Amino acid sequence: MNIKALTIALFTVMIWGASFPAIRVILHGGYSPGHLILTRYLIASALFAIYALWPGVKFRLPQKGDILKIVILGFVGISIYHIGVAFGEKTVNAGVAAMLISSTPIFTALIALFVLRERLGLFGWIGLGLGFLGIGIIALETAGSSFHISSGVFLLLIAALGTSVMFAFQKPLLRRYSSIELTAYFTWVGTIPFFIYFPGYFQELQHATLDAHLSAIYLGIFPTAIGYVTWTIALSLGKSGSVMSMIYFEPVFAILIAWIWIKEQPSFISIIGGAVAIAGVIVVNTLGSKKHTPAIEPVSVQPPL
């Protein structure tokens, strides 16, 4: 993998990792989770609309037969994902949230196994076991002495499952549309349900802090639009598998940035659980199939984080 592709990929993963502490800043700065999501996706939808309408850009409309699938995947992979993340981070810190979301390939492998009927080798099962062991450690750690697992953990796992569904079933669409076209469709579709949070929107924004406003703008521009573009560039410059492996650094950046920015860090046990879960993800995606190829074919589109 060349240095330029590596640098761009790491930059992208860093700004995606920073989205988790940014969400915490926004929630503590006066935004409700619903208004946070709505603000972020109004910005993202506008940016994709500007791109689609930009002179000289060839942006294809979806075929009639693909509309229903795009709507379903956009709702599951964008709407459900971001509702899970935003409401989940009300009770779960940024680093733990990033580690739980990193379990996405574990759920993608399960979908491939039970729905798409893809075969899973011994290492695949070992990877799944490690992944769920790590998730269990994180869940028990967040429960504390009460053994009452935080609702945020469940919401974040639902978010990971939602984006896994989008990963698993979008591959046929990527043969007919470019990655940026498909991401734009998903973004526009996924934004529509967020309007249920519109009541009280402007009144709440008037009382939010400047840091919260700036962080919301950051989320709408960088992880969603710029991060997507730089990720696509990195994939075009380097080997897909090598670029995709950079995703494993996302929780590391989330933890470091949260520590520096908002003085927040997960416990040692949570970090151990996250490391075990990510080890499971690596095993599933490198040794998981019968032929020692990735259990799920890497895709070139990453859901906005």
Side-chain angles (χ1 to χ4, degrees), residues 70-123:
I70 288 172
V71 168
I72 293 172
L73 293 181
F75 174 73
V76 173
I78 299 295
S79 305
I80 291 179
Y81 171 82
H82 283 283
I83 288 172
V85 170
F87 282 87
E89 282 205 52
K90 286 184 68 177
T91 57
V92 175
N93 69 37
V96 171
M99 290 187 287
L100 288 170
I101 292 299
S102 292
S103 67
T104 291
I106 299 296
F107 292 106
T108 308
L110 286 174
I111 292 169
L113 177 66
F114 292 108
V115 179
L116 304 180
R117 302 298 181 185
E118 295 186 15
R119 300 176 68 189
L120 199 65
L122 174 62
F123 284 104

Side-chain angles (χ1 to χ4, degrees), residues 82-276:
H82 283 283
I83 288 172
V85 170
F87 282 87
E89 282 205 52
K90 286 184 68 177
T91 57
V92 175
N93 69 37
V96 171
M99 290 187 287
L100 288 170
I101 292 299
S102 292
S103 67
T104 291
I106 299 296
F107 292 106
T108 308
L110 286 174
I111 292 169
L113 177 66
F114 292 108
V115 179
L116 304 180
R117 302 298 181 185
E118 295 186 15
R119 300 176 68 189
L120 199 65
L122 174 62
F123 284 104
W125 287 106
I126 292 173
L128 287 177
L130 285 172
F132 282 107
L133 174 62
I135 291 170
I137 293 172
I138 294 172
L140 289 175
E141 172 62 16
T142 59
S145 59
S146 67
F147 291 99
H148 177 72
I149 297 175
S150 165
S151 61
V153 171
F154 289 110
L155 288 171
L156 287 159
L157 291 176
I158 289 171
L161 177 59
T163 199
S164 298
V165 170
M166 189 171 73
F167 271 159
F169 292 101
Q170 72 179 351
K171 287 188 284 185
L173 293 172
L174 284 168
R175 300 188 187 105
R176 294 190 288 278
Y177 307 100
S178 70
S179 295
I180 195 166
E181 288 171 338
L182 195 57
T183 303
Y185 302 151
F186 289 155
T187 297
W188 292 329
V189 168
T191 301
I192 295 171
F194 299 149
F195 279 95
I196 63 173
Y197 302 115
F198 188 75
Y201 178 69
F202 292 110
Q203 293 89 331
E204 182 174 277
L205 263 60
Q206 290 174 1
H207 297 96
T209 65
L210 178 60
D211 284 348
H213 290 314
L214 293 176
S215 297
I217 294 170
Y218 167 83
L219 285 180
I221 296 174
F222 285 89
T224 307
I226 292 178
Y228 163 76
V229 172
T230 55
W231 186 251
T232 303
I233 292 171
L235 284 166
S236 69
L237 293 175
K239 293 181 180 179
S240 177
S242 298
V243 173
M244 291 295 290
S245 68
M246 294 297 102
I247 285 292
Y248 304 137
F249 290 99
E250 186 176 7
V252 177
F253 283 117
I255 292 169
L256 290 176
I257 294 170
W259 191 358
I260 295 169
W261 185 5
I262 58 178
K263 312 302 180 187
E264 181 181 271
Q265 57 181 314
S267 68
F268 178 73
I269 297 299
S270 292
I271 292 175
I272 294 298
V276 172

